[in-house]
Amino acid sequence: MSDVVVGLDIGSNFIRTVIGEFTDNNKIQIIGLGKTPSPGLRNGTIVNIESTMQAIRKSIEDAEMDSGCEVHSCISAIGGVQIKSWDATGMGQVAGSKGSTPREITENDMAQVIEVARSVPISPDRQILHVVPRYYVVDKQEQVKNPKDMLGVKLEVETHVITASCTSVKNIQNCISRAGYRADSMMLKTLAATKAVMTEDELELGSILIDMGGGTTDVLVLLGGAPICTLSIPVGSSYITSDISYVKGISLDTAESTKIKYGCCWEPLLDEVEEVVIPGIGGRGPEAISRSELCQIIQARVEEIFNMIKAEIVQQTKLTQLSGNVVLTGGGAQLLGITELAQKVFKTTAVRLGTPGNYGGKVDVYRTPEYATAIGLLLDSARSRQRIDTKRNNKYNGEEEHVSKTSFFSKLGDVFKEFF
């Protein structure tokens, strides 16, 4: 088993690579980072194979140079409008024929009912990424988080099935392969980010993760410790740049640099008299505008994105209350005033930026919301490795080994309270 793992986040604006190394106790230490523009994507979807392949190679090569190690494979993430999800139920008999004596439920029983839920017919142009158990039902006893070792005759599971477009998955795998690397596995972007930035309490109470990318804004809603809704808004931070470019009549590059340097989306944070100088184009001289005027352009678009998310969540889940946090990740989440604006739209003070933890290396670079997905991929790999080692140790010690496909979400809380 390799001591190095690579997380690859292919975004609409940038491709980010994080290389991690396993320590003796199977914890992750970050040793290399790479980040390069991704001109081959639009709204989270690959539109130019060659450009995307070259950007992937450049990002991984930069991370290789940073870490001093050679990369052969990676774990990648996928998101955007090509993701669709729904709930599915799986059920099975624990003790054989109906009416037989109850027996203890094993992890193998749990895995089998999850497989039944997985077998729901889907369109041939889609493939399953994840089947995440929400809760189990043991002989009509509902909301059981972990039925292992309980006595029962009949076992059911309520799951959330997350699928992706087969074409999108194959295009990502093709780009990685053509860049000279092997794609080991693929994970939902927001699910990976959740593992990197949410606390145990947030997962227990239920929260919403909003990943603000360049071309899309992806959302994961958690209830009862498991995802109940995945959605994507086809608007991201690139649209903010386009708005600035259109309103002020400047190039996209100038608008982007102006947004990064002076951008804010909550006007009360600004000094009304502060000015920003925008370079002119086509022989036109530079123009001085107030930073508040720039903020009005940005705030209008970000507020629109948050309102679209809020409306979609209510429509798809019928939820209007939440007890956890709204957690913001992605490059777009680094705008000044983003949490204050989210608090206004979602009518809660429980909003924060999703910042990954300290895993050594260049913490000043990766401890930002934009690296949440790539680091989450590494953490998921570490947890999988720990589970494998635990099973090996159990088998060595003579304990019964079971195949378990339960999720880390399955032990978490289930209470949504005040949200909107």
Side-chain angles (χ1 to χ4, degrees):
M1 189 179 294
S2 173
D3 288 329
V4 173
V5 61
V6 180
L8 182 69
D9 178 15
I10 304 173
S12 296
N13 283 1
F14 292 96
I15 293 176
R16 299 173 182 88
T17 301
V18 178
I19 299 179
E21 185 176 40
F22 289 109
T23 61
D24 291 339
N25 57 354
N26 283 333
K27 296 294 181 64
I28 283 290
Q29 181 176 357
I30 292 176
I31 60 174
L33 302 169
K35 176 182 174 181
T36 191
S38 53
L41 284 93
R42 184 177 298 120
N43 292 348
T45 302
I46 295 174
V47 295
N48 188 313
I49 294 290
E50 186 66 21
S51 295
T52 304
M53 178 270 290
Q54 292 177 2
I56 289 173
R57 180 182 294 162
K58 177 68 165 57
S59 179
I60 295 179
E61 286 178 348
D62 287 349
E64 286 178 317
M65 291 289 292
D66 191 38
S67 65
C69 69
E70 186 176 0
V71 171
H72 301 285
S73 64
C74 65
I75 305 167
S76 62
I78 185 171
V81 295
Q82 59 264 29
I83 300 297
K84 295 185 184 303
S85 65
W86 55 80
D87 293 335
T89 301
M91 60 182 66
Q93 292 293 123
V94 174
S97 61
K98 186 176 180 180
S100 59
T101 304
R103 68 165 173 82
E104 288 188 355
I105 296 170
T106 67
E107 289 186 341
N108 193 51
D109 295 320
M110 295 159 64
Q112 287 177 358
V113 292
I114 292 173
E115 280 302 305
V116 174
R118 177 188 291 269
S119 64
V120 60
I122 64 174
S123 172
D125 63 343
R126 306 202 64 79
Q127 68 181 69
I128 294 176
L129 287 178
H130 309 284
V131 179
V132 185
R134 294 177 55 200
Y135 62 86
Y136 294 85
V137 180
V138 181
D139 294 343
K140 297 185 179 181
Q141 179 182 345
E142 298 188 354
Q143 303 294 329
V144 177
K145 287 298 174 183
N146 185 0
K148 186 176 182 294
D149 298 331
M150 290 179 63
L151 289 174
V153 173
K154 182 180 179 182
L155 179 65
E156 301 174 55
V157 64
E158 295 293 330
T159 68
H160 191 65
V161 180
I162 302 170
T163 71
S165 158
C166 291
T167 301
S168 296
V169 171
K170 290 176 181 177
N171 279 337
I172 292 174
Q173 293 172 335
N174 186 29
C175 286
I176 294 173
S177 176
R178 292 184 60 180
Y181 307 98
R182 184 179 70 252
D184 285 341
S185 61
M186 192 172 297
M187 188 175 187
L188 179 68
K189 286 171 64 77
T190 47
L191 191 58
T194 296
K195 297 190 176 188
V197 301
M198 280 195 176
T199 66
E200 199 73 18
D201 286 342
E202 287 170 330
L203 290 170
E204 288 177 357
L205 293 171
S207 298
I208 293 177
L209 184 131
I210 301 175
D211 183 76
M212 305 187 69
T216 63
T217 301
D218 295 342
V219 182
L220 184 69
V221 184
L222 296 144
L223 175 60
I228 62 166
C229 173
T230 60
L231 60 95
S232 182
I233 305 297
V235 184
S237 60
S238 293
Y239 289 77
I240 301 171
T241 303
S242 298
D243 290 345
I244 298 171
S245 172
Y246 176 78
V247 173
K248 303 311 299 180
I250 57 178
S251 68
L252 287 172
D253 288 343
T254 300
E256 178 70 13
S257 61
T258 302
K259 179 187 72 175
I260 292 173
K261 190 173 182 180
Y262 302 107
C264 176
C265 59
W266 187 243
E267 197 170 358
L269 295 177
L270 300 179
D271 184 344
E272 293 182 3
V273 299
E274 184 178 359
E275 289 190 337
V276 174
V277 177
I278 299 177
I281 61 173
R284 191 176 69 216
E287 176 187 0
I289 65 169
S290 70
R291 197 174 176 193
S292 293
E293 182 182 350
L294 180 65
C295 177
Q296 290 169 10
I297 301 171
I298 297 172
Q299 183 170 335
R301 177 63 80 173
V302 178
E303 189 166 357
E304 177 194 29
I305 292 172
F306 285 153
N307 276 314
M308 292 170 69
I309 291 169
K310 180 177 174 181
E312 282 290 324
I313 290 174
V314 172
Q315 180 182 348
Q316 293 192 30
T317 68
K318 310 304 180 186
L319 291 172
T320 58
Q321 295 181 325
L322 168 69
S323 63
N325 283 341
V326 178
V327 182
L328 307 175
T329 64
Q334 299 177 113
L335 272 170
L336 179 65
I338 193 82
T339 56
E340 289 83 355
L341 182 55
Q343 287 171 0
K344 173 197 170 187
V345 173
F346 292 104
K347 298 180 181 179
T348 176
T349 59
V351 180
R352 70 173 183 86
L353 295 181
T355 304
N358 187 335
Y359 302 99
K362 299 178 180 178
V363 294
D364 57 325
V365 177
Y366 69 76
R367 293 203 68 195
T368 62
E370 65 174 314
Y371 277 97
T373 293
I375 291 174
L377 295 172
L378 302 190
L379 296 179
D380 183 68
S381 178
R383 288 169 183 168
S384 297
R385 183 164 171 146
Q386 290 166 358
R387 286 194 293 268
I388 292 172
D389 282 355
T390 299
K391 289 178 181 179
R392 286 175 176 170
N393 291 336
N394 289 344
K395 187 174 182 180
Y396 178 79
N397 293 328
E399 299 178 19
E400 185 179 3
E401 182 181 18
H402 301 290
V403 178
S404 173
K405 295 186 180 180
T406 56
S407 164
F408 82 103
F409 287 109
S410 61
K411 295 183 180 180
L412 304 177
D414 60 353
V415 183
F416 264 72
K417 292 182 181 176
E418 191 169 354
F419 181 40
F420 296 129

